[in-house]
Amino acid sequence: SLWDVFLMFGILSVGSSDQAGREDLNPAALYPWRQRSSGGLSRVKRDWIIPPIRVLENSKQVPENLVQIKSDKIFTGEVIYKLEGPGVDQDPKNLFEIDDKTGWIRSMIPLDREKYRSFTLKAFALSPSGERLENPSTIEIVVLDQNDNRPNFSQKEFAGSVYEFSVPGTSVMSVTATDADDPTTDNAILSYSIIGQESIPLLRINKTMFGINNETGAIYTRDVGLDWEVVKGFRLKLQVADMSGMGLTSLANAVIHVTDINNNPPRFSPDQYTMSAVENKIDFVIGWVNATDNDEPGTGNWETKYTIAKGNPSRNFAIRTDPVTNEGILSVVKALDYESQEVYTLTLTVENVNPLSIKAPKNPVSSATVVVTVVNENEAPRFIKDPIEILVPESVDPGTVLASNIAYDPDNAKLKYDILRDPEGWLIINHETGEIAARKPFNVLSPHVKNNMYNAVIRVTDTDAGGISTTASLVITLWETNDFLPQLFPLMGTVCSESGRKTSGLFLTAVDEDLPPHAEPFTFHLQDMNVSANWTIIQVNGKDRIRYSYQLETGEYAVTVLVTDSGTPSLSAYAQVNVTVCPCGKDGECKTEAAAIFGTRVGVSFIALLVIMASIALLLLLLLLAVAVGNCRRHHMKKGEGLLVGDSDEDIRDNILNYDEQGGGEEDEVRHYNTLQLAEPSYLVTTSPLLGKQPLRKDYPDNLPSPSYPRKPPADPTDIEDFINDGLEAADHDPNIPPYDTALIYDYEGDGSLAGSLSSIASASSDGDQDYDYLNDWGPRFKKLANMYDPR
């Protein structure tokens, strides 16, 4: 019937009568369009549902008619058919065409499903004038698959590994393959198999050791006996086939490496060694030991580590592994001493870097014995300590032993000691015993003492052949001792005579060559009861000053002060302070210099000598000349200085100190004056009046007889200088005269004196003819006199 024809082409028409279907359908054609019935009432017929047209790929019968389409218009007029879409007028072009008269659709060339699985085309029915008679209809052409592609492995050769002694069923690796055919058909269903096996090296194992899952390609072990020491790997030949193993096939290889496990412990070979080592040397190799291991070289299963298990309590030896040969290298890392031990017996053990596998045999750790003989050599002497440290007081007595037993010789040789460096020469050493002693007292103020530390270098030499020497540093730490007397400062000054002045007084301080805590603070006391009755020492703003207790006449006074330092034990020293009491102005300084001339209470003033000389030679003229010259030059004098001060830029008393003339008890005073450093707080000294009594020197006993003074009559004026100098020399050693820096009074010698008259100075010529320039050469005391007689 016609329905059978429609079904044969896969065409179903819905809504048409059986009669119409039989009249309209050609069994060789498709009618994708249906026209509505004309005239009267009729129902609208639905479009045809056209199923996909299936075409087998790789067909050799081309061109090949696939299907014929027709329109209802063919009964009423001429119809032209057109086809559009991919494979016709779009890429890929010219795969299909349509006969415009008959409506047959043909394939022009063989189709490839792997390139194009289907095509969707548009069919048109046109009038001869090009007018569309029907709406476009969609036609789908499906390419049917053939088994025309072989399966392909993803790699030509696969690589995998498996540990030795793996149990059967252990997964080794997986292989994969692909097939370009339709995966929904048997053409792409793959099956894997192992078709060959070779051992590496060949013929080591003949039984089948591996299997493969034919669906997934997973390779696994099938049997026991994988031993890396026997076989290193396997090469398998693989096959994959489509159609579930019945179709096309491909081949590939798989290389499986057997991986070593640490199942072989290292063993010493041999296990007895003899070596020698020179004493007193370090970081040198004395020998090698060897151990063998059957595991894979270059891995942690083969690499060894050696240990000195016994015989090395002082850690004199060390052993390391040669990374190339796997041998043990034995060396000395701490100096050996032949005199202490001549032979060492070492026990060595060896293990792998990686721990042993549980499949390794349970054997004990391999060990070896090494006998090391120490070779003796001549050794240098050694100091017991370096540096040698000594702690001593700076005032150590000469000859005091500072150190002994400082060195020894390992070979028991006789030693010789020397001092290589001792910049101050404070040390002496016994060349045979090495005993170090003080040659003289130390001085912490030495430039070679830094931070109270003095450094020297000691050398010791053995007397064996070659004479090997060793040096060591000697560090002497000095602690400060109170061994210097404090020195009062200043030793002279002025005090205002006006009572009630708060600032009246002379500030006192002291200097001490000792370092803290043996120097400041200083304390000051007045020791003489008569002096302390008129003079006091008080503190003003934390500073001590000396001042008088009662109103005193202007003049010069000598006050003896005891100054004490803060050392342990403390040291004290007496010092005489020459205080000039004078009227002061508002600024607290002396107004005039008259007090130095007319108010002198101590010693013989220079004006007395001037009066004697003036009374002999033109008394009145010289007196008037002296007053005139004094007034003329007064503005050149410094404030607070008396008439004894002349044109010299330096104070007369300073000149006396610089000439190093030693008064009683003032030796240290001269020594420190030029390098004087003031210590704070300062102290202010105020002296008491002498009450008409000459102060005596404290550095001599009271009952010593006075020396004889010179009575040489001057032959000419040039002898006066020698005469006065001899008198000063005698006065410096007279214990019964006033202290140092006090004017010396020459008493009237009476009639018949051998000295002669002072008027002889001017007896040779008149005042205008006499040359007094030579007085300038007699010292600062005579410069004033020379200025008075200056004819200018």
Side-chain angles (χ1 to χ4, degrees):
S1 68
L2 290 176
W3 289 105
D4 294 335
V5 175
F6 294 155
L7 292 175
M8 178 184 67
F9 285 98
I11 301 172
L12 178 61
S13 178
V14 180
S16 60
S17 65
D18 294 341
Q19 181 65 29
R22 292 185 181 93
E23 292 175 354
D24 296 340
L25 290 180
N26 186 332
L30 291 177
Y31 291 89
W33 303 284
R34 278 297 186 185
Q35 185 180 11
R36 294 180 180 179
S37 301
S38 59
L41 296 175
S42 64
R43 48 196 183 92
V44 179
K45 298 180 180 180
R46 298 177 182 175
D47 291 339
W48 292 98
I49 298 175
I50 303 176
I53 300 172
R54 292 174 173 80
V55 181
L56 190 65
E57 69 171 335
N58 303 320
S59 174
K60 305 299 183 183
Q61 300 176 1
V62 289
E64 178 181 4
N65 290 332
L66 301 181
V67 66
Q68 183 182 25
I69 59 175
K70 287 194 174 188
S71 171
D72 291 345
K73 302 296 184 180
I74 195 172
F75 301 106
T76 59
E78 185 178 359
V79 177
I80 299 175
Y81 299 99
K82 294 294 183 181
L83 191 64
E84 295 179 356
V88 181
D89 57 351
Q90 298 176 21
D91 291 333
K93 297 179 180 180
N94 303 322
L95 296 182
F96 305 98
E97 70 175 10
I98 188 171
D99 190 320
D100 56 355
K101 300 295 185 183
T102 63
W104 277 103
I105 299 175
R106 304 183 186 89
S107 61
M108 303 305 296
I109 60 175
L111 302 178
D112 187 355
R113 191 205 68 85
E114 285 69 44
K115 291 184 177 181
Y116 310 105
R117 297 183 180 183
S118 64
F119 300 90
T120 301
L121 307 178
K122 296 288 186 181
F124 300 90
L126 305 176
S127 66
S129 63
E131 181 183 0
R132 285 186 180 182
L133 300 177
E134 306 287 353
N135 290 329
S137 181
T138 300
I139 297 175
E140 184 177 4
I141 300 175
V142 176
V143 181
L144 299 179
D145 182 51
Q146 283 188 333
N147 190 18
D148 60 341
N149 291 283
R150 292 180 178 276
N152 292 313
F153 281 103
S154 59
Q155 299 175 216
K156 290 296 182 181
E157 185 172 279
F158 296 88
S161 62
V162 61
Y163 284 107
E164 62 176 333
F165 299 111
S166 294
V167 297
T170 301
S171 177
V172 178
M173 60 186 297
S174 292
V175 296
T176 56
T178 58
D179 195 311
D181 292 323
D182 189 352
T184 62
T185 66
D186 284 348
N187 297 336
I189 297 177
L190 306 180
S191 178
Y192 299 92
S193 60
I194 298 175
I195 61 175
Q197 171 186 298
E198 291 181 355
S199 66
I200 303 172
L202 292 174
L203 305 177
R204 290 296 181 90
I205 295 180
N206 295 323
K207 59 183 177 179
T208 302
M209 298 299 298
F210 301 95
I212 189 170
N213 186 310
N214 62 347
E215 294 181 358
T216 64
I219 299 176
Y220 56 89
T221 59
R222 289 185 56 181
D223 208 340
V224 296
L226 292 175
D227 187 352
W228 183 87
E229 284 73 25
V230 176
V231 61
K232 301 300 185 288
F234 293 87
R235 184 183 298 275
L236 306 180
K237 180 178 286 188
L238 307 178
Q239 176 181 282
V240 61
D242 58 15
M243 301 291 291
S244 299
M246 304 302 294
L248 302 176
T249 62
S250 292
L251 301 176
N253 294 323
V255 177
I256 300 175
H257 299 280
V258 178
T259 302
D260 179 49
I261 63 173
N262 191 15
N263 62 324
N264 293 287
R267 312 297 300 177
F268 276 106
S269 178
D271 58 2
Q272 297 288 334
Y273 299 88
T274 300
M275 302 177 185
S276 62
V278 180
E279 67 171 337
N280 302 319
K281 292 185 178 180
I282 60 173
D283 297 331
F284 68 99
V285 176
I286 61 174
W288 289 259
V289 296
N290 184 56
T292 59
D293 193 308
N294 293 328
D295 291 316
E296 183 177 4
T299 66
N301 299 333
W302 171 82
E303 293 176 356
T304 56
K305 57 180 180 180
Y306 298 87
T307 305
I308 304 176
K310 295 180 182 179
N312 190 30
S314 300
R315 301 185 181 277
N316 297 91
F317 302 93
I319 191 168
R320 68 181 188 275
T321 302
D322 188 319
V324 177
T325 64
N326 221 23
E327 293 178 305
I329 304 174
L330 188 63
S331 59
V332 175
V333 295
K334 184 178 179 181
L336 303 174
D337 185 6
Y338 175 84
E339 287 71 26
S340 300
Q341 188 171 346
E342 299 180 11
V343 177
Y344 290 84
T345 301
L346 307 179
T347 299
L348 309 182
T349 59
V350 61
E351 295 177 290
N352 287 126
V353 173
N354 292 341
L356 282 174
S357 171
I358 58 174
K359 298 179 181 180
K362 306 298 182 181
N363 295 327
V365 176
S366 179
S367 62
T369 301
V370 180
V371 177
V372 180
T373 302
V374 182
V375 179
N376 187 28
E377 68 171 5
N378 185 21
E379 303 175 57
R382 300 176 187 175
F383 283 94
I384 296 175
K385 288 185 178 181
D386 186 8
I388 305 168
E389 296 179 342
I390 301 174
L391 180 64
V392 297
E394 62 170 334
S395 58
V396 63
D397 294 331
T400 302
V401 176
L402 304 179
S404 59
N405 298 323
I406 60 175
Y408 68 95
D409 188 81
D411 299 321
N412 299 319
K414 187 176 180 181
L415 300 179
K416 179 183 178 182
Y417 299 87
D418 296 288
I419 298 177
L420 290 185
R421 183 177 182 273
D422 179 17
E424 290 289 353
W426 288 344
L427 306 174
I428 187 172
I429 192 169
N430 187 310
H431 297 296
E432 295 183 355
T433 65
E435 185 178 79
I436 302 173
R439 183 191 297 272
K440 56 185 179 180
F442 300 158
N443 182 6
V444 75
L445 299 179
S446 166
H448 296 97
V449 176
K450 305 296 183 183
N451 298 324
N452 285 33
M453 299 175 67
Y454 178 74
N455 292 279
V457 177
I458 308 300
R459 179 179 63 187
V460 59
T461 307
D462 64 21
T463 56
D464 291 337
I468 302 176
S469 299
T470 305
T471 61
S473 297
L474 175 63
V475 179
I476 301 176
T477 302
L478 304 176
W479 78 72
E480 178 78 7
T481 59
N482 194 15
D483 51 351
F484 287 98
L485 293 174
Q487 303 298 317
L488 187 66
F489 178 83
L491 295 175
M492 59 191 69
T494 60
V495 175
C496 295
S497 61
E498 293 83 358
S499 61
R501 273 188 184 271
K502 295 182 180 180
T503 59
S504 178
L506 175 64
F507 284 107
L508 294 180
T509 185
V511 293
D512 196 322
E513 288 192 17
D514 292 312
L515 297 178
H518 301 296
E520 56 182 344
F522 302 100
T523 57
F524 304 88
H525 299 282
L526 299 173
Q527 294 298 105
D528 193 304
M529 296 300 295
N530 295 327
V531 171
S532 60
N534 294 278
W535 295 87
T536 59
I537 295 179
I538 63 173
Q539 275 206 350
V540 180
N541 297 328
K543 300 180 180 180
D544 284 80
R545 64 169 65 181
I546 184 170
R547 61 187 301 175
Y548 54 85
S549 302
Y550 304 98
Q551 185 68 30
L552 296 177
E553 297 180 8
T554 58
E556 292 187 357
Y557 300 88
V559 181
T560 302
V561 178
L562 178 68
V563 57
T564 305
D565 61 21
S566 298
T568 303
S570 62
L571 296 179
S572 301
Y574 289 97
Q576 178 176 287
V577 181
N578 294 321
V579 183
T580 300
V581 179
C582 63
C584 299
K586 294 182 179 180
D587 56 358
E589 298 187 8
C590 288
K591 293 181 181 178
T592 66
E593 299 166 349
I597 300 176
F598 298 106
T600 304
R601 290 290 195 220
V602 180
V604 177
S605 65
F606 179 69
I607 192 62
L609 180 60
L610 187 61
V611 170
I612 295 172
M613 296 179 64
S615 64
I616 298 173
L618 301 176
L619 176 61
L620 183 58
L621 178 60
L622 293 181
L623 181 57
L624 293 176
L625 182 60
V627 173
V629 173
N631 291 333
C632 180
R633 302 179 61 85
R634 185 172 300 149
H635 66 279
H636 295 293
M637 300 179 183
K638 300 178 181 178
K639 289 184 178 182
E641 296 179 347
L643 292 175
L644 294 180
V645 180
D647 290 337
S648 174
D649 292 336
E650 299 178 335
D651 190 290
I652 292 175
R653 288 166 289 187
D654 288 342
N655 289 331
I656 293 173
L657 290 172
N658 290 333
Y659 291 151
D660 199 21
E661 293 178 1
Q662 308 297 321
E666 299 300 322
E667 179 181 354
D668 292 336
E669 186 174 293
V670 175
R671 180 163 58 95
H672 303 303
Y673 192 83
N674 291 331
T675 58
L676 190 61
Q677 297 179 356
L678 296 182
E680 290 294 340
S682 299
Y683 291 86
L684 183 60
V685 180
T686 50
T687 6
S688 66
L690 302 182
L691 302 178
K693 179 182 178 180
Q694 291 277 13
L696 298 180
R697 296 171 58 158
K698 301 295 184 179
D699 55 345
Y700 279 88
D702 295 338
N703 300 325
L704 292 179
S706 298
S708 59
Y709 284 88
R711 296 185 178 275
K712 180 177 66 174
D716 54 66
T718 60
D719 293 334
I720 295 177
E721 179 181 6
D722 296 336
F723 172 73
I724 294 177
N725 287 336
D726 293 340
L728 289 175
E729 179 67 22
D732 285 341
H733 297 86
D734 189 348
N736 300 315
I737 66 169
Y740 172 77
D741 205 14
T742 302
L744 181 63
I745 299 174
Y746 289 88
D747 292 335
Y748 176 67
E749 298 177 350
D751 295 335
S753 173
L754 298 177
S757 175
L758 293 177
S759 63
S760 61
I761 297 177
S763 62
S765 63
S766 65
D767 292 343
D769 298 331
Q770 182 65 42
D771 184 7
Y772 296 100
D773 289 341
Y774 60 86
L775 294 178
N776 290 311
D777 299 331
W778 292 5
R781 298 180 186 273
F782 293 92
K783 287 186 178 181
K784 182 66 176 179
L785 183 60
N787 291 333
M788 290 182 179
Y789 284 91
D790 190 345
R792 295 172 292 180

